[in-house]
Amino acid sequence: KTGGLKDLRGDRFLDNYRMKAFNVILIFLGCWFFLSGGNLDDRVLSSIQLYSAMLVILLFFAICVFFSGISFHIGMLLFPAFFLYIYLVNLFFGGGGGSVVKVVVFTLVVMMACFIANKLTVIEFVETLVIALFLLLIANIVVSSFFPGIGLELGKFRGDWKGIFDQKNALGRLSSLLIASSILLMLCSKDKSVRIYTGLVLISAVMVAINAGSRTGLATGVLVALLSILFYLVYYVLNDNFVHKKVFVMLLFLEMLLCFYLVVSNMEVVDLYTNEDGVSIFGNFFSLTGRLTIWDFVIEHAKGVHFWFGYGLDNFWTFERFSLIGPMEGMGDFYPEDSHNGYIDVLVQGGGIGIALYLSIFILVIKSLFGSKLSFAEYATAFTFIMLFLFSNLTESYTTKSTNIVNFLFVYSVAFLLLRSAPLHAKGVITIQPFAYAKKLYISGVARK
């Protein structure tokens, strides 16, 4: 009996230890969400302080991986392979070697995403995301309302909210993330109080998006939220035994194809080569504030060898490059830091080979889903975050950003999808336990002595 009591106490100690470790992981993940939303105003937190804090979080997860181990699908190696490729292209075309830091950091981000996919359920992940982003939203509301010298834009967008960020687009991105993730949590959670809470979060996110004047952020968030609701309806219709599934899917696909055709056929480019360009759809003008001009400029210079190999990691949007090829027509002395389109940035930095590498990730995800049996929450989370990534990259560039939250959510979605579906295909999963290996080597070394 005494021995049994000791064992019970030992089990309780281990359970308490695991719970504390689990809570610490949630806290660090929440801090990552809080810090990875975008660059902050230097008066709030300097870039060095921001990236140093994010590096501490990545090192924490690296330590966790060392002691507890990690399982991941081999396909996740495509992410660092893509970054390594565009870095090597950068060196080949005479770029600076400093971008290697970005490759290392993104590799750590992929590792963290794989670790989280191992340790947390998707509900725990989404709840942590919503809580962390809501706290960040409150911080932005407070700064924008009570510290206008920091929280409000000046110049062309004077009066728009930017909160603690360096520009309003980052606040718009935060709002779109919260709109999409709060709808996702409302669909997935069975707890009534959680649904009420996320409803309040949703209202707050919409309000902030409107005050930030972020039309693209609001449009992206609302569109992804509507797609998530549509996915919810389609999922349960397909699980109804009275529905002819193949006919339903075919009709739904044809309707989507028809909608896409109607939109594209009634779309016109307006005011190209100005910073007020946009598109007119069914006679309604949607401003893209110079993005079309930027995209045209990039595609014009993605020629010859650069069409196949690209310019390399962060090697196109440089002052030296603009000095060589000249400014963009109609944009004055404005020099963007990226294409404001993730897919065009893959082209300009990685060329055709980079696009092939990136497409292989999507092909692997689609292939892994055939025959996989996931829960609704897992399907819905993957769908929402992948849609958010796809639509966000139409007007902003996240594909080659190493620590951006939108890119992280996409990497995480791929990590858990591949990991969950891999056992059904009985291949592709690698398990690494560095501490166990090191301990075994140490013991065998002592034994030899």
Side-chain angles (χ1 to χ4, degrees):
K1 289 181 180 179
T2 305
L5 183 60
K6 287 180 179 178
D7 291 341
L8 182 60
R9 287 174 178 172
D11 289 341
R12 285 177 179 172
F13 172 79
L14 287 174
D15 287 341
N16 290 333
Y17 173 79
R18 291 190 187 101
M19 184 57 67
K20 289 178 181 178
F22 177 76
N23 290 335
V24 171
I25 288 171
L26 289 181
I27 290 170
F28 272 87
L29 180 62
C31 291
W32 177 263
F33 290 141
F34 195 94
L35 295 171
S36 61
N39 291 328
L40 305 183
D41 191 300
D42 286 337
R43 291 165 291 181
V44 177
L45 201 67
S46 69
S47 296
I48 293 176
Q49 292 170 328
L50 174 64
Y51 291 117
S52 296
M54 296 177 78
L55 183 59
V56 168
I57 294 172
L58 290 173
L59 291 176
F60 165 79
F61 279 104
I63 292 170
C64 289
V65 168
F66 177 79
F67 283 103
S68 65
I70 186 174
S71 295
F72 64 92
H73 191 277
I74 193 171
M76 293 302 295
L77 297 177
L78 286 169
F79 282 109
F82 168 71
F83 264 72
L84 180 61
Y85 165 73
I86 57 178
Y87 169 70
L88 294 175
V89 172
N90 172 21
L91 292 181
F92 182 79
F93 287 114
S99 295
V100 69
V101 175
K102 199 169 181 178
V103 179
V104 174
V105 168
F106 186 67
T107 302
L108 289 173
V109 168
V110 173
M111 173 212 68
M112 181 173 73
C114 292
F115 181 81
I116 293 298
N118 275 267
K119 301 300 180 183
L120 301 182
T121 66
V122 291
I123 293 294
E124 290 165 345
F125 180 85
V126 175
E127 286 179 342
T128 305
L129 173 69
V130 171
I131 291 170
L133 294 187
F134 186 50
L135 292 174
L136 181 56
L137 191 77
I138 291 173
N140 280 282
I141 292 172
V142 170
V143 171
S144 298
S145 301
F146 299 103
F147 302 95
I150 297 176
L152 300 183
E153 285 277 13
L154 299 174
K156 179 181 177 181
F157 302 108
R158 187 178 186 87
D160 287 344
W161 285 17
K162 71 179 186 67
I164 64 174
F165 294 110
D166 62 344
Q167 57 167 305
K168 70 169 191 170
N169 285 341
L171 186 55
R173 176 170 58 246
L174 167 63
S175 301
S176 67
L177 279 168
L178 259 180
I179 291 170
S181 57
S182 58
I183 287 290
L184 173 64
L185 188 55
M186 290 175 72
L187 294 174
C188 294
S189 178
K190 297 179 181 178
D191 190 325
K192 185 178 179 181
S193 60
V194 171
R195 290 181 174 180
I196 294 173
Y197 162 73
T198 49
L200 295 174
V201 171
L202 176 61
I203 295 170
S204 302
V206 172
M207 181 198 74
V208 170
I210 293 171
N211 279 281
S214 179
R215 288 164 295 187
T216 54
L218 181 61
T220 300
V222 171
L223 178 59
V224 174
L226 291 174
L227 286 173
S228 297
I229 295 171
L230 177 63
F231 179 84
Y232 171 83
L233 297 173
V234 170
Y235 179 86
Y236 282 102
V237 168
L238 288 176
N239 281 276
D240 188 336
N241 293 327
F242 295 100
V243 176
H244 197 300
K245 296 176 179 57
K246 290 184 179 179
V247 175
F248 176 78
V249 170
M250 184 180 68
L251 290 175
L252 187 64
F253 176 76
L254 290 175
E255 287 177 3
M256 293 175 63
L257 196 63
L258 178 61
C259 289
F260 178 76
Y261 170 76
L262 289 174
V263 170
V264 172
S265 61
N266 288 278
M267 181 186 296
E268 295 180 356
V269 175
V270 179
D271 294 332
L272 188 62
Y273 305 122
T274 72
N275 58 7
E276 294 294 339
D277 63 22
V279 293
S280 175
I281 303 175
F282 293 106
N284 298 302
F285 177 70
F286 296 90
S287 175
L288 290 171
T289 57
R291 285 176 172 83
L292 287 175
T293 302
I294 295 172
W295 303 342
D296 180 80
F297 178 81
V298 175
I299 293 172
E300 181 185 348
H301 291 90
K303 298 177 180 177
V305 67
H306 294 298
F307 174 80
W308 296 105
F309 298 100
Y311 285 84
L313 183 59
D314 298 334
N315 200 32
F316 183 79
W317 302 107
T318 63
F319 180 76
E320 293 77 15
R321 185 73 56 190
F322 280 112
S323 299
L324 181 66
I325 62 180
M328 287 183 286
E329 183 181 349
M331 299 294 282
D333 58 354
F334 173 67
Y335 301 103
E337 296 179 352
D338 55 55
S339 303
H340 289 279
N341 183 293
Y343 313 111
I344 290 179
D345 255 350
V346 172
L347 171 65
V348 75
Q349 297 192 58
I353 296 175
I355 289 174
L357 270 173
Y358 215 81
L359 278 176
S360 62
I361 297 170
F362 288 95
I363 293 170
L364 188 62
V365 168
I366 294 170
K367 183 180 177 182
S368 70
L369 286 174
F370 282 101
S372 61
K373 296 180 181 179
L374 306 178
S375 67
F376 167 74
E378 290 173 328
Y379 274 126
T381 299
F383 176 82
T384 300
F385 291 153
I386 291 174
M387 288 299 104
L388 182 71
F389 177 81
L390 292 175
F391 283 104
S392 295
N393 274 291
L394 290 175
T395 55
E396 297 296 339
S397 181
Y398 303 125
T399 50
T400 57
K401 297 289 192 298
S402 58
T403 57
N404 183 270
I405 188 170
V406 175
N407 206 13
F408 174 75
L409 292 176
F410 174 63
V411 173
Y412 161 78
S413 300
V414 176
F416 90 75
L417 274 178
L418 295 182
L419 194 62
R420 298 288 195 279
S421 60
L424 298 172
H425 301 284
K427 60 181 180 180
V429 176
I430 299 174
T431 299
I432 300 176
Q433 296 179 310
F435 180 71
Y437 297 153
K439 186 178 179 181
K440 188 181 292 185
L441 287 172
Y442 174 76
I443 292 173
S444 62
V446 171
R448 287 194 191 99
K449 292 179 181 179

